[in-house]
Amino acid sequence: VERLQRETEELRVHATAAAAFLAALPAALEALESDERAASAARAAAESELRAAEGGDDEHAAGLAAEALHAAERWAADAAAARRGLEEESAGCRGDAARLEARAQALSAHVHDVPAPAGGLEGTLEWASRARGALLLEQSGLARERDAIVREASELLGSVLGEPLTSTAVAGVRDKLERALQGGAP
């Protein structure tokens, strides 16, 4: 149960991050495309200024126009590279999302009382939330069952050894019982 809890929580954290990235993706792509358009416009304006400056006698103005063109070209290249990078990251995130969905399907076979996840990251996130709750309940039930067994074992040990009932952990019960069965002192 604890392993399932860890795996479900890890899945939930990764699915939440992937969903947030994919939700923000359209706005981020639009911002980068807008930046590319602005860089392209700046490049076109710088090219016009350079042509006009090269046609005149002012070398200083031509030098400034050439620098502006170079800066605009660098801006355009950087903007295009940033957009391509975001598109690649998006493709990777979509692959991660598919793997997370498959992992949720696989884990769902081991989580009782929670139906298999619906498709998509939303279904995966909803399943992870429900599975987390179900696993907490299961862990609580197992802890109660363990405490009852330890209490019964302690009572049994007390009656076998003739000692008053003491609360002890499983390891303590096992050690006392071993010593008693081997004829040693309690």
Side-chain angles (χ1 to χ4, degrees), residues 27-43 71-83:
L29 280 172
E30 176 56 37
L32 287 174
E33 288 168 359
S34 175
D35 193 37
E36 276 186 288
R37 287 189 298 272
S40 182
R43 183 177 52 215
E73 287 173 341
R74 188 172 47 243
W75 178 17
D78 289 348
R83 182 186 43 78

Side-chain angles (χ1 to χ4, degrees), residues 118-182:
L121 275 177
E122 296 79 22
T124 297
L125 285 168
E126 182 181 336
W127 176 85
S129 178
R130 289 180 180 197
R132 203 164 97 176
L135 289 169
L136 281 172
L137 288 174
E138 188 172 347
Q139 183 183 32
S140 175
L142 290 171
R144 279 192 308 276
E145 188 177 325
R146 181 192 64 223
D147 290 345
I149 290 170
V150 168
R151 188 174 44 256
E152 289 175 18
S154 294
E155 291 170 1
L156 179 60
L157 180 63
S159 70
V160 167
L161 298 177
E163 294 180 355
L165 176 64
T166 59
S167 179
T168 185
V170 174
V173 170
R174 185 177 26 244
D175 290 343
K176 284 184 177 185
L177 191 54
E178 269 183 27
R179 284 193 304 267
L181 292 174
Q182 294 173 354

Side-chain angles (χ1 to χ4, degrees), residues 14 18 21-22 87-103 121:
H14 290 297
F21 175 82
L22 292 173
E87 288 171 347
E88 289 172 8
E89 188 177 356
S90 156
C93 186
R94 291 180 201 284
D96 290 345
R99 284 186 289 281
L100 290 167
E101 291 172 39
R103 183 67 184 136
L121 275 177

Side-chain angles (χ1 to χ4, degrees), residues 1-13 100 103-118 122-140:
V1 170
E2 289 173 351
R3 180 187 53 78
L4 281 171
Q5 284 177 311
R6 282 190 308 275
E7 290 181 28
T8 300
E9 182 59 17
E10 181 180 331
L11 178 124
R12 189 191 66 76
V13 167
L100 290 167
R103 183 67 184 136
Q105 285 290 338
L107 286 174
S108 71
H110 304 288
V111 180
H112 309 292
D113 301 327
V114 178
E122 296 79 22
T124 297
L125 285 168
E126 182 181 336
W127 176 85
S129 178
R130 289 180 180 197
R132 203 164 97 176
L135 289 169
L136 281 172
L137 288 174
E138 188 172 347
Q139 183 183 32
S140 175

Side-chain angles (χ1 to χ4, degrees), residues 45-83:
E47 287 171 346
S48 292
E49 287 179 28
L50 181 60
R51 279 193 301 275
E54 287 175 338
D57 293 335
D58 189 356
E59 287 185 24
H60 179 67
L64 289 176
E67 287 178 19
L69 176 59
H70 180 67
E73 287 173 341
R74 188 172 47 243
W75 178 17
D78 289 348
R83 182 186 43 78

